[in-house]
C-alpha cells in the first residue's frame, strides 16, 4: 500500500547558506534536509560528520543521519574514528560491537 501522504524536503540551500540562520529544530523538516546536505557536500565519512556538526542546532541528530548516509555511500568509517568511539562505550556494548564485527567478517 502506497501512502497518499508524501513529504518532500528542499535541498536547494548549501551549508554556507543554512548556517547563518539555522536554529535548533528537532522536526523532520528542520533536520533531514540539513543532514542530506551535509552528506552531499562531503568528500568522505569524517567530512560528512564535520559538515553536520558545523551547522549547530540539533547536531547530534543531524550528524547521526549524515553519518549513516555517508557510511553506506563511502563504505568505510576510518579505523581511528571507530577505535576512539569504542572508548566511550561501556564494556558490554563494546563486546556486542566486537561480536558483531566477528560475525559479519
Amino acid at each position: 500500500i502506497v501512502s497518499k501522504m508524501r513529504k518532500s524536503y528542499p535541498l536547494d540551500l548549501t551549508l554556507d547558506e543554512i548556517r547563518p540562520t539555522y536554529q535548533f529544530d528537532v522536526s523532520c523538516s528542520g533536520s533531514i534536509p540539513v543532514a542530506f546536505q551535509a552528506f552531499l557536500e562531503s568528500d568522505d565519512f569524517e567530512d560528512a560528520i564535520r559538515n553536520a556538526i558545523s551547522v549547530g542546532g540539533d547536531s547530534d541528530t543531524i550528524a547521526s543521519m549524515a553519518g549513516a548516509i555517508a557510511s553506506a555511500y563511502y563504505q568505510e568509517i576510518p579505523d581511528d574514528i571507530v577505535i576512539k568511539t569504542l572508548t566511550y562505550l561501556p564494556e558490554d556494548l563494546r563486546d556486542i560491537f566486537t561480536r558483531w564485527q566477528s560475525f559479519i567478517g
Side-chain angles (χ1 to χ4, degrees):
I1 299 173
V2 176
S3 171
K4 292 182 180 183
M5 296 180 62
R6 295 180 188 251
K7 180 72 175 167
S8 63
Y9 301 107
L11 297 173
D12 56 346
L13 296 176
T14 67
L15 292 178
D16 285 340
E17 294 170 319
I18 294 168
R19 279 186 199 98
T21 58
Y22 189 76
Q23 296 181 7
F24 191 91
D25 186 346
V26 298
S27 70
C28 291
S29 61
S31 56
I32 291 174
V34 179
F36 269 95
Q37 195 61 39
F39 162 71
L40 290 172
E41 292 185 29
S42 70
D43 296 318
D44 57 31
F45 177 83
E46 184 175 354
D47 197 32
I49 299 297
R50 289 181 183 278
N51 284 346
I53 292 169
S54 74
V55 176
D58 192 12
S59 60
D60 60 333
T61 301
I62 294 167
S64 294
M65 290 186 283
I69 299 164
S71 175
Y73 181 79
Y74 295 116
Q75 296 289 301
E76 185 177 350
I77 300 173
D79 288 340
D80 60 322
I81 293 175
V82 173
I83 291 166
K84 184 64 176 178
T85 302
L86 289 173
T87 67
Y88 295 106
L89 295 178
E91 188 175 337
D92 59 333
L93 293 179
R94 283 194 307 265
D95 182 53
I96 291 169
F97 176 81
T98 302
R99 288 186 299 165
W100 174 251
Q101 289 295 83
S102 295
F103 176 75
I104 64 171

